[in-house]
Amino acid sequence: MKHLPDQTKSLARLQEFRSQGPGDPVVRTVADGRWRLATDPAAVDALAVAAFEAMGGVDVLCLNAGVFAGGFSWETTLDDWDWVLGVNLRGVINGIRSFVPRLIEAGTPSHVITTASIAGIVAAPASVPRCTSHAPL
């Protein structure tokens, strides 16, 4: 497989990062609290700093977190609404706010990929919080 010149550096960083194993602080941070991390702006900032320090930069940022609290919208607790919107929507907002300024400052080609489920396009029964949180993405 032939890689473009700017991809070679990214692939080398990825291989180096993978070789460090699960003890790496960035992996451990994500694995230890991915939901709290997504909803906590300070934690996402810390993750961005750790990612740039550990890998020397970020070329591709994938923002993909999703939780589900089912039931009728009028029976869904405010805590469940906060949790779903916090992870599914605020998590993406926090990722953009923490990483994109650093990506711009780095001045190298980079990409931000934001994903959401089909629930953002097609409403599903007993899924109003999830649909609401995915529609803006």
Side-chain angles (χ1 to χ4, degrees), residues 79-137:
D79 285 342
D80 282 347
W81 273 101
D82 288 343
W83 177 59
V84 172
L85 291 172
V87 172
N88 297 359
L89 182 57
R90 290 287 302 219
V92 170
I93 293 167
N94 292 336
I96 289 169
R97 292 186 72 233
S98 295
F99 279 85
V100 170
R102 289 172 173 88
L103 296 173
I104 293 169
E105 185 179 321
T108 58
S110 57
H111 303 278
V112 178
I113 301 167
T114 314
T115 57
S117 72
I118 192 70
I121 299 170
V122 179
S127 300
V128 173
R130 184 172 179 90
C131 294
T132 301
S133 69
H134 282 254
L137 304 176

Side-chain angles (χ1 to χ4, degrees), residues 1-124:
M1 179 176 183
K2 184 177 179 183
H3 300 287
L4 298 174
D6 60 317
Q7 289 178 320
T8 304
K9 185 177 176 185
S10 299
L11 291 171
R13 280 190 202 149
L14 180 60
Q15 284 301 102
E16 179 183 342
F17 183 63
R18 284 183 176 163
S19 70
Q20 294 174 9
D24 183 88
V26 175
V27 174
R28 189 170 52 248
T29 301
V30 174
D32 286 350
R34 68 181 74 107
W35 306 134
R36 180 192 57 77
L37 181 63
T39 59
D40 180 357
V44 178
D45 272 344
L47 176 62
V49 169
F52 274 81
E53 286 176 357
M55 297 181 286
V58 173
D59 299 311
V60 178
L61 173 65
C62 298
L63 299 171
N64 179 34
V67 294
F68 178 81
F72 295 115
S73 58
W74 58 91
E75 293 175 351
T76 302
T77 67
L78 289 177
D79 285 342
D80 282 347
W81 273 101
D82 288 343
W83 177 59
V84 172
L85 291 172
V87 172
N88 297 359
L89 182 57
R90 290 287 302 219
V92 170
I93 293 167
N94 292 336
I96 289 169
R97 292 186 72 233
S98 295
F99 279 85
V100 170
R102 289 172 173 88
L103 296 173
I104 293 169
E105 185 179 321
T108 58
S110 57
H111 303 278
V112 178
I113 301 167
T114 314
T115 57
S117 72
I118 192 70
I121 299 170
V122 179

